[in-house]
Amino acid sequence: MDVLAFRWLVYIVFMIDSSPSPVLVVEDNSDNLLLISLTVQDFGYHVVTARDGEEALSIAELTMPRLILMDIAMPKMDGLDATRRLRTDPKFLKVPIIALTAFETDGFQHAAAEVGFDGYLTKPIDFERLRRLMNALLSAQSPYHPVYQSPSGSTRQTGPLEERFMLWRKFCAENALAVESSPDDLSPALRERWEFLKNNPTYFFEF
């Protein structure tokens, strides 16, 4: 192998190894999946998604996420079983997993701790609390982890009337997109328009 080829190989390996691992969002409700994913992207993370526990295991194996946000009540395999399965794999023993759940009982807290969750938030999700918890768990893993700030500076919660989600739904309707689409799937022109509208939401609703 000549010197130039070797340098290119080193460069490619470095770029692959230095690419940030994603956050895996596991949620069977399309509205919540979209809202959580958009908000976590706003925090500064790359996001991958799954819609049930079985899919979460496959996506985790493919992407090796740095952190997992796991819904509990899901079809095929619930979040407790999925987390239990992940914790049997040495690759995922130290990956922080946060439960997102409507349950807030002593029995659930015990079950969550038993299968290996690192924390949990009850729905509706307070995204400022989620941001702080994600920062705390990832900073504990690595002192070099950047502490992401909420770009809006305000506290948002999941819910059907959350302003950001309503903006996305209108954007999808105007551009004949499925609401389950991700901003990462947009064409460059649509992605540019979406980024503009995020920062200038009132522009979209002017008549």
Side-chain angles (χ1 to χ4, degrees):
M1 180 183 295
D2 61 37
V3 174
L4 182 59
F6 177 75
R7 286 178 178 174
W8 270 108
L9 178 61
V10 171
Y11 173 76
I12 291 169
V13 170
F14 173 78
M15 290 299 291
I16 293 173
D17 288 346
S18 62
S19 60
S21 300
V23 169
L24 171 57
V25 179
V26 187
E27 168 67 64
D28 68 320
N29 179 279
S30 295
D31 288 0
N32 282 341
L33 179 64
L34 176 63
L35 178 57
I36 295 167
S37 299
L38 289 173
T39 303
V40 172
Q41 285 177 352
D42 267 357
F43 292 163
Y45 299 99
H46 174 59
V47 172
V48 292
T49 64
R51 293 179 177 274
D52 58 62
E54 288 184 359
E55 193 171 85
L57 297 180
S58 299
I59 298 299
E61 188 70 32
L62 287 171
T63 62
M64 289 303 299
R66 67 174 74 182
L67 181 143
I68 300 172
L69 303 177
M70 182 76 75
D71 187 25
I72 299 302
M74 296 183 293
K76 296 185 181 180
M77 181 186 297
D78 66 27
L80 290 173
D81 283 343
T83 299
R84 189 180 292 110
R85 291 272 296 276
L86 286 168
R87 291 308 192 202
T88 64
D89 188 329
K91 297 193 299 293
F92 300 109
L93 279 177
K94 296 184 178 181
V95 175
I97 305 178
I98 300 172
L100 306 179
T101 177
F103 306 110
E104 193 174 12
T105 64
D106 291 341
F108 171 75
Q109 293 179 35
H110 177 75
E114 193 174 59
V115 301
F117 280 105
D118 297 279
Y120 75 94
L121 292 175
T122 54
K123 297 177 180 179
I125 298 167
D126 181 329
F127 284 116
E128 179 58 21
R129 289 185 61 196
L130 174 61
R131 182 190 65 79
R132 292 198 302 266
L133 180 56
M134 291 175 66
N135 278 335
L137 290 172
L138 291 171
S139 295
Q141 273 197 330
S142 170
Y144 303 105
H145 173 72
V147 177
Y148 291 115
Q149 302 297 325
S150 176
S152 67
S154 61
T155 298
R156 296 201 300 264
Q157 293 186 339
T158 51
L161 298 181
E162 202 276 344
E163 292 178 2
R164 174 75 176 282
F165 180 65
M166 296 303 291
L167 180 64
W168 175 255
R169 294 192 80 152
K170 183 168 176 60
F171 177 79
C172 288
E174 292 284 326
N175 294 281
L177 300 169
V179 73
E180 294 85 2
S181 303
S182 164
D184 288 338
D185 301 327
L186 298 176
S187 67
L190 285 178
R191 182 61 184 266
E192 183 178 355
R193 177 162 172 73
W194 170 243
E195 293 296 329
F196 171 79
L197 293 173
K198 280 197 305 182
N199 298 317
N200 304 275
T202 55
Y203 176 86
F204 200 72
F205 296 99
E206 289 178 355
F207 295 95

